[in-house]
Amino acid sequence: MDKIDIKSLQVEEVKNLMVELGDKAFRGKQIYDWMHVKLADSFDEMSNLSKSLREQLKERCELINLTVVDKLESAAGETAKYLFRLSDDRVIESVLMKYHHGNSVCISSQVGCRMGCKFCASTIGGLERNLSASEMLDQIYKIQKLSGERVSNIVVMGTGEPLDNMENLLTFIKIISDENGLNISQRNITVSTCGLVEKIKELAHENLQITLAISLHAPNDTVRKELMPVANKYTIDEVLKACEYYFDKTGRRITFEYSLVEGVNDSKEYALELSSRIKGLNCHVNLIPVNPIKERNYRQSESKYIQNFKNILEKNRINVTIRREMGTDINAACGQLRKSYMDQGK
Ligand code: SAH
């Protein structure tokens, strides 16, 4: 019989499990507290449980526990990248970013990715598997424990397409924002997607307070298809309609991510075209100078192009910011650290 992944269970489910094991429901609450507040790494740490219950738990359940393989800190100390090993020996990466307003962790949602975006290192080896809710949670728990920093914001922008792993993503969001756990406000959680239209609509029905970020990266389908294979499946019109739907249902403003790639999507004309397409949508645009990866020839747009692009959006009264680059000295772009680790054949 497969062991129960107890860290992926919601508090009521842990209580029910305790009753099933012939114990009291409140024990479930105690165990949940050990896992999601005290961030225990083992059942043996759960000192207010009897030895026999701890043994019973070890027999029936596994407590997912990531181990650190490597940690790289940027020279300025504001960014740290963690490489974690999973119980099946696969590795994933997560990033801690320290801002004035608090600490943000960028987590992975899958091992690898099958979306195939041309500029992204995470997708080069394809998708290996989904991460469980517990494996998403433990990235945050381990970073909080190891760094001693309280995590207040989460971005699901690491390796993987979160909406391609919807069920586990939803469980993750419920547990991380649960008042019985770390209680991180859903308003401080951003989920980034390449734009899976049906899944965006499904997510809208969950009535969450999270921010949805859409990787747009192009003002029209022709340019988008050059960068993102998913554009062959959904048109920008369909994606934007799904965004409107999401906003209508949740009242949450959408973020559009636009990675600027020299000579591909960074011209003035494209800035104008983008402006006219998203005008009237309640949104915010995040311009990201593309992070070049060695497997591709894409280059970052020059800063004057980036500034021009921003100015044009602003003239058209679109909220826009340029993402501050952090941690490029430590391979902090999606999937780069994991990729270089795998390339060494470890
Ligand atoms: N699959 C999701 C989330 C992971 S990627 C998505 O597509 O949104 C998070 C963001 O980083 C996406 O906007 C993605 O397009 C962008 N990204 C990936 N690699 C990048 C790179 N080398 N330079 C700039 N942005 C990159």
Side-chain angles (χ1 to χ4, degrees), residues 106-107 109-110 113 115 117-122 156-163 191-195 213-217 224 228 230 256-261 288-293 300 323 333-336:
C106 174
I107 64 159
S109 56
Q110 295 180 316
C113 181
M115 296 299 142
C117 297
K118 297 280 168 52
F119 45 78
C120 179
S122 295
V156 188
M157 285 191 188
T159 297
E161 168 49 50
L163 302 195
V191 172
S192 178
T193 175
C194 63
I214 308 282
S215 300
L216 204 56
H217 304 320
R224 197 160 192 258
M228 306 174 73
V230 72
F256 290 115
E257 291 156 281
Y258 196 108
S259 296
L260 288 156
V261 187
I288 312 160
V290 80
N291 236 312
I293 56 172
Q300 232 173 54
R323 185 181 296 168
C334 291
Q336 281 186 357

Side-chain angles (χ1 to χ4, degrees), residues 91 128 337-346:
V91 292
E128 291 187 30
L337 179 62
R338 172 171 177 267
K339 182 75 179 52
S340 58
Y341 178 82
M342 311 281 276
D343 287 348
Q344 288 162 28
K346 284 185 190 169

Side-chain angles (χ1 to χ4, degrees), residues 15 22 89 98 132 165 200 225 260 297 302-303 321 327 344:
K15 285 185 190 169
D89 269 353
K98 298 181 201 165
S132 60
N165 183 15
I200 293 172
K225 280 178 195 171
L260 288 156
N297 286 325
E302 278 175 42
S303 61
T321 44
Q344 288 162 28

Side-chain angles (χ1 to χ4, degrees), residues 1-6 17 20 57-62:
M1 192 174 66
D2 272 351
K3 286 191 173 183
I4 300 165
D5 171 12
I6 191 170
L17 177 66
E20 230 175 83
L57 285 169
K58 280 186 221 170
E59 224 162 84
R60 290 291 303 277
C61 307
E62 64 174 333

Side-chain angles (χ1 to χ4, degrees), residues 226-326:
E226 268 179 52
L227 296 170
M228 306 174 73
V230 72
N232 293 303
K233 186 145 190 223
Y234 305 105
T235 62
I236 291 187
D237 272 345
E238 290 171 320
V239 173
L240 295 182
K241 278 215 185 75
C243 290
E244 266 173 52
Y245 185 83
Y246 188 87
F247 179 75
D248 285 347
K249 286 269 172 219
T250 63
R252 301 287 298 159
R253 185 175 81 160
I254 303 278
T255 296
F256 290 115
E257 291 156 281
Y258 196 108
S259 296
L260 288 156
V261 187
E262 187 181 79
V264 177
N265 65 357
D266 62 346
S267 71
K268 282 182 190 163
E269 292 71 31
Y270 288 154
L272 276 170
E273 194 178 352
L274 177 67
S275 304
S276 65
R277 275 205 109 141
I278 60 175
K279 227 175 194 166
L281 252 173
N282 204 320
C283 67
H284 173 261
V285 176
N286 206 345
L287 298 175
I288 312 160
V290 80
N291 236 312
I293 56 172
K294 70 173 188 328
E295 291 80 4
R296 305 269 187 265
N297 286 325
Y298 293 125
R299 281 195 306 264
Q300 232 173 54
S301 306
E302 278 175 42
S303 61
K304 71 167 190 279
Y305 276 80
I306 298 176
Q307 200 54 51
N308 279 342
F309 205 95
K310 177 169 183 264
N311 293 345
I312 293 170
L313 294 185
E314 273 173 347
K315 268 196 203 125
N316 286 283
R317 291 201 213 86
I318 289 166
N319 290 302
V320 53
T321 44
I322 299 174
R323 185 181 296 168
R324 191 156 65 94
E325 280 189 90
M326 291 168 91

